[in-house]
């Protein structure tokens, strides 16, 4: 499925945003932030607008302030969906989620080489599909999916680690009915801790593509950020 929601409210990308810096990690240019002495990491996997989105980097800094070493890789190799134009399939034809999954593996290995002993993956929209594919014990310890795209019930059934799914009431990619199916599939997996929540009155992308001058939008985004921080603190340790 493709549509305007996934590319609505495009951010103004800024390669200098955030308190961290960019370095090569696992072969990808990666925004990193947080103490290099931490043994706990979080991998933030962006939506189609890529790793230079200021709100995403601001969230990365917030996660770092909670004690995590945070990595935000450039899975789009300098070619994000800057203008929001064209169908989603056209925009990501060279940046498929399966490719993102394969490219995430050496990033996780590079984190282990830095002394990281536990990693969480947080995926937004396109990135949520990558995160759910990583949700196996061999890769990470916990996952958070926010307004996911392309995620199926079968993906959810394959999850092996603790997972949180944060959905929007207004979302053509993961409508509430589908998020409820995710919840039912997870409920059947008693060995997997889960948290599923549908945020009222918000649309796909609300957690990272909000207007910083819109008080209600900021509040809804911050609530999602708090939920993901609590999940990471509980399961990545």
């Amino acid at each position: 499925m493709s549509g305007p929601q996934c590319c609505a409210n495009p951010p103004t990308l800024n390669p200098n945003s955030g308190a961290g810096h960019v370095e090569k990690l696992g072969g990808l240019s990666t925004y990193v932030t947080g103490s290099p002495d931490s043994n706990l990491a979080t991998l933030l996997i962006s939506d189609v607008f890529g790793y230079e989105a200021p709100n995403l980097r601001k969230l990365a800094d917030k996660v770092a302030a909670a004690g995590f070493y945070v990595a935000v890789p450039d899975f789009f190799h300098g070619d994000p969906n800057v203008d929001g134009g064209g169908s989603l399939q056209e925009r990501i034809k060279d940046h498929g989620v399966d490719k993102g999954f394969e490219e995430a593996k050496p990033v996780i290995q590079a984190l282990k080489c830095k002394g990281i002993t536990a990693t969480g993956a947080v995926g937004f929209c396109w990135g949520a599909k990558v995160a759910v594919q990583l949700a196996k014990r061999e890769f990470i310890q916990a996952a958070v999916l926010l307004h996911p795209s392309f995620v199926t019930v079968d993906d959810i059934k394959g999850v092996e680690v603790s997972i949180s799914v944060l959905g929007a009431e207004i979302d053509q990619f993961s409508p509430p009915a589908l998020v409820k199916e995710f919840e039912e599939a997870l409920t059947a997996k008693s060995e997997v801790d889960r948290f599923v929540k549908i945020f009222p009155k918000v649309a796909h992308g609300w957690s990272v593509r909000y207007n910083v001058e819109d008080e209600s939008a900021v509040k809804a985004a911050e609530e999602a950020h708090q939920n993901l921080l609590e999940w990471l603190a509980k399961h990545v340790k």
Side-chain angles (χ1 to χ4, degrees):
M1 180 191 295
S2 66
Q5 263 194 350
C6 201
C7 301
N9 305 316
T12 300
L13 303 184
N14 181 357
N16 298 314
S17 59
H21 66 277
V22 174
E23 65 178 58
K24 285 288 186 180
L25 192 68
L28 296 179
S29 294
T30 303
Y31 175 77
V32 295
T33 181
S35 172
D37 296 325
S38 176
N39 64 345
L40 306 176
T42 298
L43 184 67
L44 294 192
I45 308 171
S46 75
D47 58 18
V48 294
F49 294 102
Y51 84 136
E52 293 180 351
N55 283 354
L56 180 64
R57 290 192 176 185
K58 184 190 301 183
L59 176 56
D61 293 340
K62 185 185 293 187
V63 176
F68 295 92
Y69 184 72
V70 183
V72 191
D74 178 17
F75 288 106
F76 293 89
H77 300 272
D79 181 35
N81 186 28
V82 178
D83 59 9
S87 73
L88 183 58
Q89 279 86 349
E90 290 173 352
R91 290 299 310 161
I92 66 170
K93 66 180 184 295
D94 296 324
H95 308 294
V97 289
D98 291 339
K99 181 182 178 185
F101 170 55
E102 291 302 325
E103 291 182 337
K105 294 178 185 177
V107 174
I108 292 172
Q109 185 58 43
L111 289 171
K112 291 179 179 178
C113 290
K114 285 179 175 284
I116 297 299
T117 57
T119 301
V122 180
F124 307 85
C125 184
W126 176 94
K129 178 72 169 186
V130 178
V132 79
Q133 290 177 301
L134 289 171
K136 306 289 190 290
R137 283 184 289 271
E138 66 182 293
F139 300 126
I140 62 173
Q141 281 61 58
V144 183
L145 314 183
L146 296 100
H147 36 89
S149 294
F150 312 119
V151 175
T152 67
V153 173
D154 282 342
D155 289 328
I156 297 296
K157 288 180 178 178
V159 167
E160 297 177 356
V161 301
S162 301
I163 186 167
S164 171
V165 182
L166 306 180
E169 180 182 4
I170 308 160
D171 194 329
Q172 69 186 59
F173 288 91
S174 291
L178 180 57
V179 175
K180 288 291 186 183
E181 289 187 50
F182 293 166
E183 185 172 30
E184 291 170 4
L186 289 169
T187 299
K189 296 173 68 72
S190 59
E191 73 280 9
V192 172
D193 195 10
R194 75 274 179 192
F195 178 77
V196 179
K197 180 176 179 179
I198 296 171
F199 284 68
K201 301 179 182 178
V202 299
H204 181 89
W206 94 93
S207 72
V208 284
R209 298 206 301 269
Y210 56 91
N211 181 347
V212 295
E213 297 179 356
D214 183 331
E215 186 176 338
S216 62
V218 171
K219 183 178 180 181
E222 289 181 342
E223 182 180 343
H225 300 166
Q226 185 59 36
N227 287 163
L228 77 84
L229 281 168
E230 290 169 354
W231 195 252
L232 293 171
K234 180 179 180 183
H235 294 288
V236 182
K237 55 188 179 181

